Amino acid sequence: MSLIQRIDALLPQTQCGKCGHPGCLPYAKGMAEGEAINKCPPGGGETIAALANLLQVPITALDPERGSAPPQVAYIREAECIGCTKCIQACPVDAIVGAAKLMHTVISAECTGCDLCVAPCPVDCIDLLPLSTDGGIIAVVGGMAYDPKALAARNSKRNHARRRFELRNSRLQSEEERKQAERAARTRPATTSTSAAQSTVNVDPIKAAIERVKAQKAAAADAALKKAKIAAAMSRAQLNKARSAFGEEPSDVQLAQLTELELEAEQAQATLMALLAANSNASH
């Protein structure tokens, strides 16, 4: 193994970015070139000590500006999920499954607790739940393995997480290359026949302008509908949170807040239904 690989093997493979790099391997490369060893919150003191021993440098305290990374696992409140796919796109190890406009869920055993899925969620329906050693899920963070068996299990999961991250990056690169090839094919100068060129010349400019206006209106309608769906989902989520927080016997102030939230939810739903009806009529 190269020095970079040996350093990477000591890192937790959460790919969380808290170190300032877009993954564990780039940070390993940085440390091989002399970067500080105390920038990995998920690794904590255990990883810092291991890195210090490997690189023969002094042990230092974790950089407090990097935040914290306790053992945790993401959980999606599925009833509030609007199927926007933003969390799926953010997960570095493909631990979230779902499809556009359909419910998403987290594969707990694959989740590294990186918390990258939380911020992109437009309806705030993702929680980070504490992970304990007796919960059946192996934690990749430092300080949770106290015997050889637990260490071996953790290292195996870290290696597994690294492979999932690499496979995801490979898939994304292939998809981007395909998209670039398709864009290049669309913009490539056409070597059409004379008849095809003649038909292009004879396109009615008024008809073309009308088609452009129709396309712009359709795009605007789609954008408005998407915005309305998110607004309706967020208002429902806020109302459900308030009901849960206030309990069965809310105070007068809380009842007023609930009434206001219910009104907002009804208005958001009414706006959504009106847009859906308008889109349906426009398509017929």
Side-chain angles (χ1 to χ4, degrees), residues 56-72:
Q56 295 298 294
V57 296
I59 295 176
T60 55
L62 179 66
D63 182 355
E65 294 184 359
R66 301 294 164 180
S68 62
Q72 57 192 6

Side-chain angles (χ1 to χ4, degrees), residues 66-125:
R66 301 294 164 180
S68 62
Q72 57 192 6
V73 62
Y75 171 77
I76 296 176
R77 298 193 301 278
E78 296 170 354
E80 300 171 28
C81 176
I82 61 172
C84 69
T85 76
K86 293 185 182 297
C87 60
I88 294 177
Q89 298 169 41
C91 180
V93 292
D94 282 339
I96 303 177
V97 294
K101 301 181 181 179
L102 297 175
M103 179 195 74
H104 304 342
T105 191
V106 177
I107 307 173
S108 300
E110 302 292 356
C111 177
T112 63
C114 69
D115 77 23
L116 293 176
C117 59
V118 175
C121 179
V123 294
D124 192 25
C125 70

Side-chain angles (χ1 to χ4, degrees), residues 45-254:
E46 177 187 328
T47 296
I48 292 174
L51 290 169
N53 180 62
L54 173 64
L55 299 173
Q56 295 298 294
V57 296
I59 295 176
T60 55
L62 179 66
D63 182 355
E65 294 184 359
R66 301 294 164 180
S68 62
Q72 57 192 6
V73 62
Y75 171 77
I76 296 176
R77 298 193 301 278
E78 296 170 354
E80 300 171 28
C81 176
I82 61 172
C84 69
T85 76
K86 293 185 182 297
C87 60
I88 294 177
Q89 298 169 41
C91 180
V93 292
D94 282 339
I96 303 177
V97 294
K101 301 181 181 179
L102 297 175
M103 179 195 74
H104 304 342
T105 191
V106 177
I107 307 173
S108 300
E110 302 292 356
C111 177
T112 63
C114 69
D115 77 23
L116 293 176
C117 59
V118 175
C121 179
V123 294
D124 192 25
C125 70
I126 302 178
D127 297 319
L128 291 171
L129 306 181
L131 186 65
S132 62
T133 54
D134 57 357
I137 300 175
I138 300 170
V140 294
V141 299
M144 295 287 288
Y146 308 105
D147 57 67
K149 183 178 180 180
L151 284 169
R154 186 187 68 185
N155 290 340
S156 176
K157 182 167 182 178
R158 286 181 173 181
N159 291 335
H160 178 69
R162 183 190 295 107
R163 287 193 296 271
R164 288 183 69 88
F165 180 62
E166 292 170 348
L167 288 171
R168 176 180 182 272
N169 285 343
S170 178
R171 187 190 76 248
L172 293 178
Q173 182 178 352
S174 297
E175 290 175 355
E176 180 59 27
E177 290 174 352
R178 176 181 56 78
K179 290 178 182 178
Q180 289 179 359
E182 291 175 351
R183 284 195 292 268
R186 289 195 298 269
T187 57
R188 188 178 300 119
T191 55
T192 56
S193 64
T194 303
S195 59
Q198 185 63 35
S199 66
T200 302
V201 172
N202 292 334
V203 170
D204 185 347
I206 297 178
K207 184 177 180 181
I210 293 174
E211 291 300 323
R212 284 197 299 272
V213 171
K214 287 182 178 179
Q216 291 170 355
K217 287 184 177 180
D222 288 342
L225 182 58
K226 182 177 181 181
K227 184 177 180 180
K229 287 180 178 179
I230 293 175
M234 290 183 70
S235 62
R236 288 197 303 271
Q238 291 171 350
L239 178 59
N240 290 334
K241 281 184 180 180
R243 285 171 173 168
S244 177
F246 295 162
E248 296 181 0
E249 297 182 1
S251 65
D252 292 341
V253 173
Q254 291 172 338

Side-chain angles (χ1 to χ4, degrees), residues 235-236 238-240 242-243 246 250 254-270:
S235 62
R236 288 197 303 271
Q238 291 171 350
L239 178 59
N240 290 334
R243 285 171 173 168
F246 295 162
Q254 291 172 338
L255 279 173
Q257 292 177 353
L258 283 174
T259 300
E260 184 177 350
L261 289 173
E262 287 172 352
L263 180 60
E264 291 177 357
E266 290 174 359
Q267 291 175 340
Q269 187 64 26

Side-chain angles (χ1 to χ4, degrees), residues 4 8 11 15 19-33 35 165:
I4 293 174
D8 186 51
L11 297 177
Q15 318 299 343
C19 60
H21 293 274
C24 295
L25 184 59
Y27 183 34
K29 292 177 179 177
M31 284 187 281
E33 297 172 357
E35 191 171 341
F165 180 62

